[in-house]
Amino acid sequence: MARRTIYLGLLAIVIPYLYDRYVALSALAANRPSKLKDVYNFRQHEFKFRDSIRNCEDVLLVEEKGLAIVSCDAGRDRWNTVMGTFAQHKGVVGGGLYVYDYATPGLSEQDALARLTLKNIDTEDFHPLGIEYERKSGTLYVVNHAQTGSVIEIFDLDFKTTTATRRQTFRHALAFSPNSIQALGDGKIFFTNDHFIPAAMSPILSKIETFSGVPGGSVVYVDLTRPSETARTLARVPFANGIAMLNSSTLAVASTSKSGIYFFSVTADYHLQSKNHISPPEYHLKSQGYIRTPVAPDNISVDGNGKLLMAGHPFALATMKVSRGRANCDPDSRKEEDRKACDCTAAGWVAEWTPETGLRELYKGYDICTSSTAVRDVGRGIGLVTGLYDRGLMLFKE
Ligand SMILES: *[C@@H]1O[C@H](CO)[C@@H](O)[C@H](O)[C@H]1NC(C)=O
Ligand SMILES: *[C@@H]1O[C@H](CO)[C@@H](O)[C@H](O)[C@H]1NC(C)=O
């Protein structure tokens, strides 16, 4: 009898877990390549910069200037700390940051895109992932998966001279696998770590962490003007990926392994330290639930109407396959097999969400491969989608 009680108790713990994995994996099966049904919920789409940039992971809009900032890293083919590709012996090129003028009509592709000149940083070992821009101070935050260790770089950005000058590097025990950044102003940021066990530490354990859906990823707060006193883990999320403030009090975090978005209410406590001195804010996150998404989401963004946009991977195994094959990619090689290794064959997906309307798919199909971030300029009715392993950017019009 006692044994059975224990057994039932164990089942009670395990069944919800298995059910959860079952739902996540059956979504995977429903989107397997032969079953995937295209979705186009925008008026038109086209590709930009097919031959000038590739492997772009993040894009953000500075709408008042009609500019997009894009982070791209051709070196990801051989050095991907999230997916676990470490072929550095083959040579890894540095990545770059770009400014795209998407609002001025009639510009040639060449005139519309400028590569930012990076100053005061080792550009050979620069591997940008998530980026974030703080308007008031002109600060650009960039997650850099350098071979010497992952860090967050803090740049002063000058649009006029298209120059970004490194001011500070944040290297910290709590930034063990940094992925995405959300700025709160005045040097305060939230960022995600995607894994507790980065692939650089153990590729196998890192994969087990991904597939089991254990909450190994985290959300960290830091005030970069006083990093050592302020850095703190505020929440744990399985494979925490994109992060974005939905509004002034709600934070959204995408979980790639759980296939969902977690919501948190954000509060800040202030203490009176002495008569005229109030302490810096102490942030707290309180869970406000979770929505499941039909595919594994990657990055998220919030548009001018407050809608949450997400990009993701309908068939995550195909994305992993592309990433695995990439170490041999050489677009200029004479050998067909090396050029073929540059192909990108995994589907892309974009959706929007509001609490009132729920989730609505905007796009699903093979035009953009390994879609990682989607953003939208509501005023101009234009959106951009990046592809982690694709060439160029997809632009859509509504
Ligand atoms: C995802 O997008 C947000 C902007 O919504 C940005 O702050 C973040 O750094 C991005 N992360 C990645 C990994 O692209
Ligand atoms: C922020 O968004 C959440 C989730 O949609 C909502 O419940 C909350 O009321 C919003 N708060 C504000 C201040 O708009």
Side-chain angles (χ1 to χ4, degrees), residues 241-398:
N241 207 322
I243 184 168
M245 289 297 287
L246 200 56
N247 54 39
S248 59
S249 59
T250 302
L251 180 73
V253 180
S255 168
T256 300
S257 59
K258 274 279 194 178
S259 283
I261 312 284
Y262 287 75
F263 297 97
F264 298 92
S265 61
V266 181
T267 49
D269 285 346
Y270 296 82
H271 304 282
L272 202 59
Q273 275 182 330
S274 58
K275 219 167 144 207
N276 295 317
H277 191 75
I278 296 174
S279 71
E282 213 176 89
Y283 283 94
H284 302 279
L285 296 184
K286 191 159 162 268
S287 171
Q288 296 293 345
Y290 152 91
I291 58 158
R292 204 178 263 285
T293 51
V295 322
D298 194 321
N299 202 11
I300 54 180
S301 70
V302 176
D303 74 11
N305 287 339
K307 284 191 180 167
L308 188 69
L309 279 180
M310 49 192 112
H313 309 285
F315 193 64
L317 295 179
T319 303
M320 288 177 161
K321 188 167 156 230
V322 171
S323 135
R324 261 203 317 276
R326 267 310 169 85
N328 295 323
C329 159
D330 178 358
D332 306 317
S333 171
R334 294 227 192 123
K335 281 200 255 163
E336 196 194 327
E337 139 194 8
D338 297 351
R339 291 196 307 269
K340 195 114 186 70
C342 304
D343 285 356
C344 196
T345 48
W349 177 82
V350 178
E352 62 179 19
W353 178 88
T354 67
E356 295 80 31
T357 57
L359 189 121
R360 175 171 170 258
E361 289 187 320
L362 294 177
Y363 172 78
K364 188 154 86 174
Y366 283 97
D367 305 82
I368 178 115
C369 172
T370 57
S371 49
S372 51
T373 303
V375 290
R376 176 163 55 196
D377 181 331
V378 187
R380 295 184 177 93
I382 283 179
L384 292 171
V385 186
T386 57
L388 193 56
Y389 283 106
D390 208 345
R391 295 183 295 127
L393 297 173
M394 186 167 91
L395 180 144
F396 64 85
K397 294 191 179 144
E398 295 189 306

Side-chain angles (χ1 to χ4, degrees), residues 39-265:
V39 175
Y40 288 97
N41 272 325
F42 36 67
R43 203 157 43 79
Q44 65 182 78
H45 69 284
E46 61 183 290
F47 271 86
K48 295 277 177 192
F49 314 118
R50 275 296 211 197
D51 297 317
S52 38
I53 51 176
R54 66 187 189 95
N55 292 6
C56 302
E57 134 82 12
D58 201 2
V59 54
L60 63 84
L61 299 181
V62 187
E63 281 147 295
E64 64 278 18
K65 293 183 194 289
L67 298 176
I69 307 175
V70 194
S71 82
C72 309
D73 182 14
R76 179 170 307 120
D77 288 344
R78 293 181 182 160
W79 179 255
N80 184 336
T81 41
V82 183
M83 309 278 271
T85 314
F86 304 106
Q88 56 278 41
H89 56 279
K90 296 188 176 203
V92 178
V93 295
L97 301 173
Y98 297 81
V99 175
Y100 164 32
D101 178 345
Y102 65 90
T104 307
L107 285 183
S108 69
E109 283 214 344
Q110 217 172 6
D111 291 334
L113 189 73
R115 185 169 180 153
L116 282 178
T117 306
L118 304 179
K119 290 201 171 147
N120 193 24
I121 190 163
D122 176 4
T123 51
E124 308 263 294
D125 192 20
F126 181 61
H127 297 290
L129 201 69
I131 54 177
E132 169 73 323
Y133 180 61
E134 196 181 281
R135 287 168 167 70
K136 215 173 102 202
S137 58
T139 305
L140 185 67
Y141 301 96
V142 182
V143 169
N144 177 10
H145 280 193
Q147 294 186 46
T148 50
S150 294
V151 295
I152 294 174
E153 312 280 12
I154 298 108
F155 292 94
D156 292 314
L157 177 58
D158 184 2
F159 282 110
K160 276 207 200 80
T161 58
T162 52
T163 305
T165 310
R166 188 184 64 101
R167 188 199 324 149
Q168 183 186 349
T169 292
F170 175 65
R171 186 187 297 278
H172 195 278
L174 288 184
F176 39 86
S177 54
N179 189 305
S180 293
I181 304 169
Q182 166 71 56
L184 303 169
D186 302 322
K188 299 176 178 63
I189 60 169
F190 289 143
F191 68 89
T192 54
N193 285 297
D194 44 66
H195 284 79
F196 181 64
I197 301 175
M201 194 185 282
S202 164
I204 300 273
L205 289 180
S206 183
K207 282 237 161 58
I208 291 177
E209 184 183 331
T210 303
F211 283 109
S212 66
V214 293
S218 58
V219 180
V220 176
Y221 165 77
V222 64
D223 176 346
L224 291 160
T225 62
R226 305 176 312 127
S228 51
E229 300 113 273
T230 54
R232 224 158 60 82
T233 301
L234 298 186
R236 298 218 163 268
V237 172
F239 200 149
N241 207 322
I243 184 168
M245 289 297 287
L246 200 56
N247 54 39
S248 59
S249 59
T250 302
L251 180 73
V253 180
S255 168
T256 300
S257 59
K258 274 279 194 178
S259 283
I261 312 284
Y262 287 75
F263 297 97
F264 298 92
S265 61

